[in-house]
Amino acid sequence: MYKPATIKDIALALHLSPSTVSRALRDGYEISEETKKLVVAYAEKVNYRSNPIALSLKNRRSYSIGIVVPKLANSFFSQAIAGIESIAYERGYHTIITQTHDSAERERINVNHLAQRSVDGLLISMSAETSDFSFLKSLHDDGLPIVFFDRIIDEIDTFKVTSDNFKGAYNAVESLIKAGKKKIALLANAPHLSITNERLAGYMKALADNHIHFKPELIRNCNKGGNDYQEVEDAVKDLLNAADKPDAIFVSSDRISISCVRALKNLNFDPKEIAIAGFANSDVVDLLYPSLSYVKQKSFEMGQIAVEMLLKLIESKYPITEFETRVLDTELHLQQPPLNLPR
Amino acid sequence: MYKPATIKDIALALHLSPSTVSRALRDGYEISEETKKLVVAYAEKVNYRSNPIALSLKNRRSYSIGIVVPKLANSFFSQAIAGIESIAYERGYHTIITQTHDSAERERINVNHLAQRSVDGLLISMSAETSDFSFLKSLHDDGLPIVFFDRIIDEIDTFKVTSDNFKGAYNAVESLIKAGKKKIALLANAPHLSITNERLAGYMKALADNHIHFKPELIRNCNKGGNDYQEVEDAVKDLLNAADKPDAIFVSSDRISISCVRALKNLNFDPKEIAIAGFANSDVVDLLYPSLSYVKQKSFEMGQIAVEMLLKLIESKYPITEFETRVLDTELHLQQPPLNLPR
DNA sequence: AGTGAAATCGGTAACGTTTGCATTGAATTT
DNA sequence: AAATTCAATGCAAACGTTACCGATTTCACT
């Protein structure tokens, strides 16, 4: 059985008390240089490592932060996590990553598990399914530092980072209009997500500013957030079989954008006839066919900002009451000119 | 400050001792039904959750397993993790996911951190950069259960799961030959990875079986494992600018396959002239252009099998000395017939 | 010589939980 | 009635660490 050396072992071997050893290892001022050297040397020899579990129990601090995202396979989130880690490691924190697969129940379980593992704080992007935030609210009320990113919620007052979803959507839809599209459908995520509504607003404003009448019948919500391909294909089929067939689709969600591309391919639609623009952070969007214009979020930066906010909360001596919601720009990548395809 | 209810709190409130409360909650036979009901009811009321940290300290068990992979953004790994979680949660274990970004140092840090957090076991797929396995070996010798998956190593004797990389490569290369390709280049990952060599062997055997002379000058290794796009583009450019230009490329690594597709696009090669076949687990491979034949690994299943092996190790009463290496089949998806592209 | 301040170290409790052992009281047996 | 059994509960130690409070020694200064 794996049994690492403890402070007690060292104390016993060196005929010292555990407290002296502890202080020597932490370079306490009250310990003589001589003893320190002795202890440090012996600790080195037996490869002593302080036991983080014992420390967590004692200090109620773990120097680790919990991350909760819907899906790791979603590039946006894995990029954001990379951003989080880049800062966290630098500051001496470890990360514990969990995914919810957009299930409200799994989210609750994961969050509670993290809280009890005494993570020092939580970074969370909400699952599409969650509508009851009370479990988070009570943890937050109890003093657990939480920062929301991307899929933020209004119900809890704390630091938040998200993208300028309104503008991102506006610009994408505008680009479609400028390309001559007149009937632009909207394929959206679950309607109670913050990002869904902001992007919907951007879509509507772009239409209005360009004097295009808004038609509710051109909107489809995919409540499973693109986790279920069939749902997306059905929506696309439904839209494109309508009498008043749209000439473009704006997709307001990362995963759904991909599914929409696949649907157009599977349904054999001519890419010339129906343009796509959508949010997408996959690192291969530019290689997809049919190709699309895409709105890319600054996922890595968002992760960095989120974790910095969280560390501010964690390390602050005094309770913080003034919170900020950072909104990041998005990047619009226009659909590439028609491929130079082989005949 | 966040402070959940403890057994002591309950004991105090109910004028009982902590031990009685503990036994009541675990349904100990020595406690009267009456008391049990009382305790359980009160625990429910104050939302008592046992403190996993204290339990870990006491039992030297954490009911959590550590996962170490090179990169979450790599679909293969996020799929494998989903497989791991599906079983782990069912069996009452939690997962702690970390990524190494193919850095040997980060790998060592993460592994040691997990070991000290007293995970009950480790699931690891090695970083491309690692050549010194001593840190793993010593942990394993000390009794930490470890299971390797996908990128396995010979140096440590334990359970392992990987794909039939030989056959996967063989079939892919064979399919290229059947499609009439004669000069097939190989774009490979770092040469000291287990999977690299197995796939190389499959490539060579397929050539030999089809009486194609093996030419070492058609091989390029990307030591950064596709994390550096430029490295791949350079290799592709180099290959295709040769006098004896290949008519196909077999890519023996997931990320590099994607980079290769991108390189062909950026370098403006005619997909008709140069075919690609490669390992790839991205969920959008089928939508890429230029398109390719791809070998898909059973990532989800691999994760499931790996975690089952690990749990066997963890929960076994007696030390296990007979180890198995499972080898999973791969699926070959042939390049789709030429797209019905718009003129 | 006496006082006291450093310097250096040890003892103990505490974090939350479990567990072997001791204790209590009541019920049962002889 | 005394002895024995049994059910129900409490006590204390332990997991590894640190913080507080003392204890001891040395040494300088009056």
Side-chain angles (χ1 to χ4, degrees):
Chain A
M1 186 53 187
Y2 180 51
K3 182 135 178 24
T6 75
I7 277 197
K8 286 187 187 174
D9 298 335
I10 301 181
L12 214 60
L14 263 41
H15 304 291
L16 291 170
S17 81
S19 31
T20 303
V21 175
S22 171
R23 275 182 286 239
L25 289 172
R26 329 201 115 250
D27 204 23
Y29 68 98
E30 351 168 47
I31 306 297
S32 70
E33 286 305 322
E34 209 178 351
T35 314
K36 276 182 191 168
K37 267 188 197 137
L38 202 68
V39 170
V40 169
Y42 188 79
E44 179 81 17
K45 185 183 150 206
V46 298
N47 193 27
Y48 170 79
R49 295 283 123 98
S50 77
N51 181 327
I53 303 257
L55 280 187
S56 297
L57 184 59
K58 181 124 190 52
N59 301 335
R60 292 225 198 74
R61 279 290 299 279
S62 60
Y63 284 96
S64 61
I65 61 186
I67 304 177
V68 182
V69 297
K71 227 178 185 45
L72 292 177
N74 185 328
S75 305
F76 172 79
F77 292 116
S78 46
Q79 290 157 11
I81 288 173
I84 293 171
E85 286 183 335
S86 72
I87 302 278
Y89 277 84
E90 210 170 79
R91 302 271 295 269
Y93 285 79
H94 284 272
T95 54
I96 302 184
I97 305 165
T98 65
Q99 53 183 336
T100 65
H101 297 281
D102 272 319
S103 143
E105 187 203 349
R106 180 63 67 87
E107 184 170 70
R108 194 174 39 74
I109 293 176
N110 286 355
V111 166
N112 283 328
H113 174 245
L114 288 172
Q116 265 141 47
R117 277 261 135 200
S118 49
V119 291
D120 297 341
L122 210 56
L123 291 171
I124 183 167
S125 190
M126 299 303 294
S127 130
E129 201 185 275
T130 310
S131 53
D132 177 13
F133 308 111
S134 55
F135 70 103
L136 268 179
K137 187 136 184 55
S138 69
L139 282 175
H140 185 249
D141 290 345
D142 286 342
L144 180 70
I146 303 180
V147 169
F148 293 90
F149 69 100
D150 189 44
R151 301 188 184 177
I152 66 181
I153 62 176
D154 284 333
E155 282 78 357
I156 297 182
D157 196 25
T158 179
F159 285 111
K160 295 161 196 172
V161 214
T162 188
S163 287
D164 194 338
N165 291 299
F166 176 86
K167 204 161 123 197
Y170 184 97
N171 291 342
V173 173
E174 189 187 49
S175 80
L176 288 172
I177 297 172
K178 280 189 179 151
K181 305 296 178 181
K182 308 275 186 207
K183 282 172 291 188
I184 303 171
L186 171 63
L187 213 54
N189 211 324
H192 50 272
L193 284 176
S194 59
I195 56 178
T196 302
N197 289 312
E198 295 164 23
R199 293 171 188 179
L200 168 63
Y203 164 81
M204 292 178 65
K205 186 68 162 44
L207 293 187
D209 284 358
N210 289 277
H211 314 100
I212 298 183
H213 189 60
F214 166 67
K215 294 183 181 164
E217 65 267 26
L218 286 181
I219 296 187
R220 293 291 181 284
N221 279 99
C222 299
N223 291 313
K224 292 175 187 158
N227 292 320
D228 176 12
Y229 166 69
Q230 198 54 49
E231 187 186 40
V232 180
E233 184 179 305
D234 290 347
V236 170
K237 196 188 294 181
D238 196 40
L239 277 173
L240 297 186
N241 283 341
D244 198 18
K245 186 168 138 188
D247 52 9
I249 302 180
F250 169 60
V251 192
S252 75
S253 153
D254 201 306
R255 302 271 295 180
I256 301 177
S257 292
I258 304 288
S259 296
C260 180
V261 169
R262 173 167 289 120
L264 284 188
K265 183 181 183 185
N266 287 351
L267 298 172
N268 252 320
F269 276 99
D270 185 341
K272 274 271 168 58
E273 277 181 36
I274 172 94
I276 314 178
F279 277 76
N281 264 65
S282 161
D283 46 0
V284 293
V285 227
D286 56 321
L287 298 178
L288 295 186
Y289 186 86
S291 72
L292 69 165
S293 296
Y294 56 97
V295 181
K296 204 157 198 164
Q297 299 184 73
K298 294 179 175 166
S299 45
F300 192 87
E301 291 85 339
M302 193 183 288
Q304 292 189 313
I305 293 171
V307 72
E308 269 167 357
M309 287 171 159
L310 184 63
L311 291 180
K312 196 189 284 183
L313 278 177
I314 291 174
E315 294 178 347
S316 159
K317 299 284 175 202
Y318 313 100
I320 296 181
T321 51
E322 281 297 303
F323 301 111
E324 181 194 9
T325 295
R326 282 281 295 277
V327 176
L328 304 186
D329 259 358
T330 57
E331 301 163 2
L332 176 61
H333 296 253
L334 289 179
Q335 181 175 18
Q336 302 196 339
L339 292 170
N340 183 14
L341 293 173
R343 264 145 304 154
Chain B
M1 188 53 188
Y2 177 52
K3 183 137 178 21
T6 75
I7 277 196
K8 286 187 188 174
D9 298 335
I10 301 181
L12 212 61
L14 263 43
H15 303 290
L16 290 170
S17 79
S19 33
T20 305
V21 175
S22 171
R23 277 183 276 243
L25 289 173
R26 328 200 111 253
D27 203 24
Y29 68 98
E30 354 170 40
I31 305 296
S32 70
E33 286 305 321
E34 208 178 353
T35 316
K36 275 183 193 170
K37 266 186 200 142
L38 202 68
V39 170
V40 170
Y42 188 80
E44 179 80 18
K45 186 183 150 207
V46 297
N47 193 28
Y48 169 80
R49 294 283 123 97
S50 75
N51 182 327
I53 303 256
L55 280 186
S56 297
L57 185 59
K58 182 123 190 48
N59 301 334
R60 293 227 195 74
R61 280 289 300 278
S62 60
Y63 285 96
S64 62
I65 61 187
I67 304 178
V68 182
V69 298
K71 228 179 184 46
L72 292 177
N74 185 328
S75 305
F76 172 78
F77 292 115
S78 47
Q79 290 158 11
I81 288 173
I84 293 170
E85 287 183 335
S86 72
I87 303 279
Y89 277 84
E90 208 171 81
R91 302 272 294 267
Y93 285 78
H94 284 273
T95 55
I96 302 184
I97 304 165
T98 66
Q99 53 183 337
T100 65
H101 297 281
D102 272 319
S103 142
E105 188 202 348
R106 180 64 66 87
E107 184 170 70
R108 195 175 38 75
I109 294 176
N110 285 356
V111 166
N112 283 327
H113 174 245
L114 288 171
Q116 266 142 49
R117 276 263 135 199
S118 50
V119 291
D120 297 341
L122 209 56
L123 292 171
I124 184 166
S125 189
M126 300 303 294
S127 131
E129 202 186 272
T130 310
S131 53
D132 177 13
F133 308 110
S134 54
F135 70 103
L136 268 179
K137 187 135 184 57
S138 69
L139 282 175
H140 185 249
D141 289 345
D142 285 342
L144 179 70
I146 302 181
V147 168
F148 292 90
F149 68 101
D150 189 44
R151 301 188 185 177
I152 64 182
I153 62 176
D154 283 332
E155 282 77 358
I156 297 181
D157 196 27
T158 180
F159 284 111
K160 296 162 196 171
V161 214
T162 188
S163 287
D164 194 338
N165 291 298
F166 176 87
K167 203 160 124 199
Y170 184 97
N171 291 342
V173 173
E174 190 187 49
S175 81
L176 287 173
I177 297 172
K178 280 188 178 152
K181 304 297 176 182
K182 308 275 186 207
K183 281 172 292 188
I184 303 172
L186 171 63
L187 213 55
N189 212 324
H192 51 271
L193 284 176
S194 60
I195 56 178
T196 302
N197 289 312
E198 294 164 24
R199 292 171 189 179
L200 168 61
Y203 164 81
M204 293 177 65
K205 186 68 161 49
L207 293 187
D209 284 357
N210 289 276
H211 315 99
I212 297 183
H213 190 58
F214 166 66
K215 294 182 181 166
E217 66 267 26
L218 285 181
I219 295 187
R220 293 291 182 284
N221 279 99
C222 299
N223 292 312
K224 293 174 186 157
N227 292 319
D228 176 11
Y229 166 69
Q230 198 56 47
E231 188 186 39
V232 180
E233 183 179 307
D234 290 348
V236 170
K237 194 189 294 181
D238 196 42
L239 277 174
L240 297 187
N241 282 341
D244 198 19
K245 189 168 135 189
D247 52 9
I249 303 180
F250 169 60
V251 193
S252 74
S253 154
D254 201 306
R255 302 271 294 182
I256 300 177
S257 293
I258 305 289
S259 295
C260 181
V261 169
R262 174 167 288 120
L264 284 187
K265 182 179 184 188
N266 287 350
L267 297 173
N268 252 319
F269 277 99
D270 185 340
K272 274 273 169 54
E273 279 181 34
I274 172 94
I276 314 178
F279 276 77
N281 264 66
S282 161
D283 47 0
V284 292
V285 229
D286 56 321
L287 298 178
L288 295 187
Y289 186 86
S291 72
L292 68 165
S293 296
Y294 55 97
V295 181
K296 206 158 199 165
Q297 300 183 73
K298 294 179 175 165
S299 46
F300 192 88
E301 290 86 339
M302 193 184 288
Q304 291 188 312
I305 293 171
V307 72
E308 269 169 357
M309 287 172 159
L310 185 64
L311 292 180
K312 196 190 284 184
L313 279 178
I314 291 175
E315 295 179 346
S316 159
K317 299 284 174 201
Y318 312 100
I320 297 183
T321 51
E322 282 296 304
F323 301 112
E324 182 194 8
T325 295
R326 282 282 294 279
V327 176
L328 304 186
D329 260 357
T330 57
E331 301 164 0
L332 176 62
H333 296 253
L334 290 179
Q335 182 175 16
Q336 301 196 341
L339 292 170
N340 184 14
L341 293 173
R343 264 143 303 150

